[in-house]
Amino acid sequence: MGWMMVFWVVLIVTVPTILWFLLSERRRVKEKRGNYYDTIILRRYLLGDIDLEEYERKFALLCRSTRRKNP
């Protein structure tokens, strides 16, 4: 009877912990992905591939699309 109680306590503690960890990891990956695109646009501007107007336009589009996805 004691082992069964230990099993349920471990199960009740580990399942929510694993779910929380997996869901928080997905959130971090999405945040990194957003920062990745910002970095690409900034790098292209700094290398001279795009001018300031193009940089501002792309950055504004990126910000709008990010806001739309994250309510």
Side-chain angles (χ1 to χ4, degrees), residues 42-58:
L42 179 60
R43 184 178 301 147
R44 287 189 63 202
Y45 171 67
L46 293 175
L47 290 173
D49 292 340
I50 58 175
D51 61 358
L52 181 60
E53 291 176 13
E54 183 72 11
Y55 169 76
E56 290 173 343
R57 187 179 68 77
K58 288 180 182 290

Side-chain angles (χ1 to χ4, degrees), residues 9-68:
V9 169
V10 169
L11 187 69
I12 290 171
V13 170
T14 56
V15 170
T17 303
I18 290 171
L19 288 174
W20 174 80
F21 177 76
L22 291 174
L23 293 175
S24 67
E25 191 65 30
R26 282 187 184 159
R27 230 178 302 134
R28 277 188 243 142
V29 169
K30 286 181 183 178
E31 290 171 1
K32 287 179 185 175
R33 189 175 302 144
N35 293 339
Y36 176 72
Y37 295 127
D38 295 350
T39 305
I40 290 175
I41 295 170
L42 179 60
R43 184 178 301 147
R44 287 189 63 202
Y45 171 67
L46 293 175
L47 290 173
D49 292 340
I50 58 175
D51 61 358
L52 181 60
E53 291 176 13
E54 183 72 11
Y55 169 76
E56 290 173 343
R57 187 179 68 77
K58 288 180 182 290
F59 191 77
L61 285 172
L62 180 65
C63 289
R64 263 189 262 144
S65 68
T66 305
R67 265 188 265 140
R68 232 180 285 149

